[in-house]
Amino acid sequence: MRTPDAVFVWSTASGGMSTAAKESDGGWVTSSARVETVKMIDGLSVRVTSPSAGLSRVALRWRDGVHEDALVLGDAWERSYGDLGWQHVRPERVLPWYWLATSSGHYTRGAGVRVRPGAMSYWTVDTDGVTLWLDVRSGSEPVELGGRELEAATVVAISAVSDVSAFSAQKTLCAALCSDSRALRTPLVGANNWYYAYGSGFDAQAVVRDAALIVEAADGHVERPFSVIDAGWSTGASGAPGGPWLTGIKSFENMTTVADRIRAEGARPGLWMRPLLTSDRSSLTREEMLDGEWPLDPSRPEVLNQVRRDIQRLVSWGYELIKHDFSTFDTIGHFVPGTELGMEAVPWSFADRSRTTAEVVIGLYRAIREAAGDTIVIGCNTIGHLAAGLVEVQRIG
C-alpha cells in the first residue's frame, strides 16, 4: 500500500472544518496536527499527533479508482442486519473497515484496516479513487491526544487478481486483517434459550430441561453441547437487563447450583450478561438512562475493574461460556444498522477525552478477555472489527 496522494484533517484549530494537509518532512501537516504513513511488514501504519488541538477526523485519499462497472462490497460497523452485499459504485456509500471491488469477474481488489485500530475506520470508493476516513472522536467530542501519538490504523491492500474468485480474495484480505484470531480448538455445539424465551417466562427448571433436550438432540456428538442461559435470569426490569451481577432472581438465586444441574444433564453451562448497564445508580454511571437503567462509562478504570470482577464472578460460578451483549448500544447510545455513518449520533463524550471511541471499546473487550481467562467468550452486539482476536465467537448478524 503506497503513501496517499492527499490527506485532510478536521480539528478544533480549524473550527471543525476540513484542512488539507501539506507534505512535509516525510509526513502531512496542518497548523495543529501531523499525519505519518509508515510502511511496515504488516501494512501501512497511519499515525497521528495533535498536541495543541482537539481532533475529530483524518481522511487519506488515493487517486486510484475502481472500474465504472465494478461491484463493491463492504463490512458492517458492528454486525450485519441482513444488509451486506455487492452493489454498484456509489461514491457516498460508507464501507466500514474494508472494501472489495470486482469487475465483471475479471479482477478483484480491495483494502482494509487491521483489526483493533485506534479509529472508527471506513472507506468510500469511486471511479477516481478511494478514501479512508478515520473517525478519532472520543464519543461525541474531538479527542484530546495531548503529547501522545495515536496509532490510528494499519492499512492492508490486496492487488487486483483475476485468477481467483471474489470470495477467495475476500478470505485473503480478511486473514491479513486479523492474524491473531482466537480459533476454537473444537466445534462449538449447543443451544441458547433466547431463541424461544426472548428474555422472560422461564425458570431454573426450564433451563435444566433445555440442557437435557439439547444433549438428547446432540445424540452422542463427539463434542458436549453447550446450554446457554440468556437474558431473563438476572435482576432488572427490561427484557435485557443490566447488573448488578451478584445473583439471579427467584430460582436463579444460586447460579452455581444451576450450572451444576446443567452439567449433570451432560451439557456445558453458558451464561449471558450485559456488562455496561446497571440498576444501581452510582458515581460510576452516566446521568442519561438507557432501557430504564444506568449505563456505565467504559473509559473509566473503575468501570473496567467492576466489569472484570463481574466476569470473574460468572466464571467462578462454573459457567464455561460467557456471552456479553449490548456493548455497542451501551457505549454509543444506539444500534448501528446499515452501512451509513451510524457513529454520528453518539449522544455523549467519555470521561477520558484523551482516548478515541475505538480505543475505549477495545479497552472494554480486553478487560473482559483478561477476566474470562480460558473461558469461551461470545460477543453479541459487539463492534466486530474491534473485538476480533479478543473473543472466540461473535454473533455476526
Side-chain angles (χ1 to χ4, degrees):
M1 193 77 190
R2 64 179 177 82
T3 56
D5 297 302
V7 173
F8 302 88
V9 174
W10 286 253
S11 76
T12 56
S14 60
M17 303 298 289
S18 168
T19 300
K22 298 179 180 179
E23 285 191 80
S24 174
D25 195 22
W28 301 78
V29 298
T30 67
S31 62
S32 60
R34 178 178 176 85
V35 180
E36 291 187 351
T37 55
V38 181
K39 291 185 178 181
M40 310 288 286
I41 294 175
D42 60 348
L44 187 73
S45 175
V46 182
R47 304 169 186 179
V48 182
T49 54
S50 182
S52 61
L55 196 63
S56 296
R57 287 185 183 82
V58 174
L60 295 83
R61 175 72 170 174
W62 289 266
R63 298 189 184 97
D64 183 12
V66 301
H67 197 275
E68 61 183 6
D69 74 351
L71 295 175
V72 179
L73 177 72
D75 200 354
W77 277 119
E78 41 145 340
R79 58 186 174 184
S80 161
Y81 289 82
D83 52 3
L84 298 181
W86 297 88
Q87 298 181 23
H88 293 286
V89 178
R90 289 195 293 117
E92 77 283 3
R93 182 184 173 196
V94 170
L95 305 166
W97 312 121
Y98 71 80
W99 64 273
L100 286 155
T102 186
S103 177
S104 301
H106 298 309
Y107 74 83
T108 302
R109 56 180 285 237
V113 299
R114 284 182 58 84
V115 298
R116 303 187 301 278
M120 303 300 294
S121 311
Y122 67 96
W123 301 80
T124 52
V125 174
D126 56 70
T127 56
D128 294 323
V130 299
T131 305
L132 171 61
W133 302 81
L134 302 173
D135 185 339
V136 296
R137 288 175 298 167
S138 180
S140 59
E141 300 295 327
V143 69
E144 297 174 353
L145 296 175
R148 79 181 180 96
E149 181 181 70
L150 173 67
E151 295 187 13
T154 299
V155 181
V156 176
I158 56 170
S159 302
V161 290
S162 58
D163 57 345
V164 300
S165 68
F167 180 56
S168 294
Q170 183 182 14
K171 289 198 295 182
T172 298
L173 176 61
C174 289
L177 299 182
C178 184
S179 59
D180 61 352
S181 61
R182 294 181 62 90
L184 286 166
R185 293 185 296 273
T186 58
L188 190 66
V189 180
N192 181 315
N193 76 341
W194 176 263
Y195 299 101
Y196 79 85
Y198 297 102
S200 64
F202 65 91
D203 57 13
Q205 188 56 38
V207 165
V208 174
R209 287 197 302 268
D210 291 343
L213 176 62
I214 195 59
V215 168
E216 179 183 357
D219 192 24
H221 193 285
V222 65
E223 300 300 331
R224 286 174 55 222
F226 277 94
S227 188
V228 180
I229 308 170
D230 212 284
W233 66 271
S234 62
T235 59
S238 71
W245 305 100
L246 302 174
T247 185
I249 58 173
K250 299 180 181 178
S251 60
F252 294 110
E253 185 174 1
N254 189 326
M255 291 301 290
T256 300
T257 298
V258 176
D260 290 341
R261 293 179 66 188
I262 291 173
R263 199 173 285 107
E265 296 294 335
R268 302 175 68 184
L271 194 60
W272 172 96
M273 64 97 67
R274 184 173 178 174
L276 291 181
L277 195 71
T278 180
S279 58
D280 285 353
R281 188 174 186 186
S282 70
S283 60
L284 299 182
T285 57
R286 296 186 181 278
E287 295 182 0
E288 306 90 343
M289 296 185 77
L290 281 179
D291 287 352
E293 297 183 82
W294 304 100
L296 297 158
D297 182 342
S299 77
R300 303 179 64 169
E302 313 96 300
V303 169
L304 295 187
N305 287 336
Q306 178 174 308
V307 169
R308 289 187 186 96
R309 290 193 296 270
D310 290 337
I311 295 293
Q312 289 168 347
R313 187 179 305 112
L314 272 55
V315 171
S316 74
W317 289 342
Y319 291 88
E320 301 175 36
L321 177 151
I322 304 298
K323 175 184 175 184
H324 69 85
D325 203 350
F326 281 85
S327 59
T328 303
F329 185 86
D330 294 341
T331 298
I332 69 172
H334 59 95
F335 294 112
V336 195
T339 54
E340 301 309 313
L341 187 52
M343 298 299 161
E344 288 296 334
V346 180
W348 47 54
S349 63
F350 294 111
D352 183 357
R353 288 278 305 280
S354 71
R355 288 190 292 155
T356 68
T357 298
E359 291 180 302
V360 169
V361 173
I362 292 169
L364 170 67
Y365 295 161
R366 287 195 188 281
I368 293 172
R369 175 74 268 161
E370 292 165 0
D374 293 332
T375 300
I376 293 174
V377 176
I378 291 182
C380 181
N381 186 222
T382 41
I383 299 178
H385 215 71
L386 304 184
L390 299 174
V391 298
E392 284 82 359
V393 186
Q394 297 195 60
R395 181 179 180 223
I396 61 168

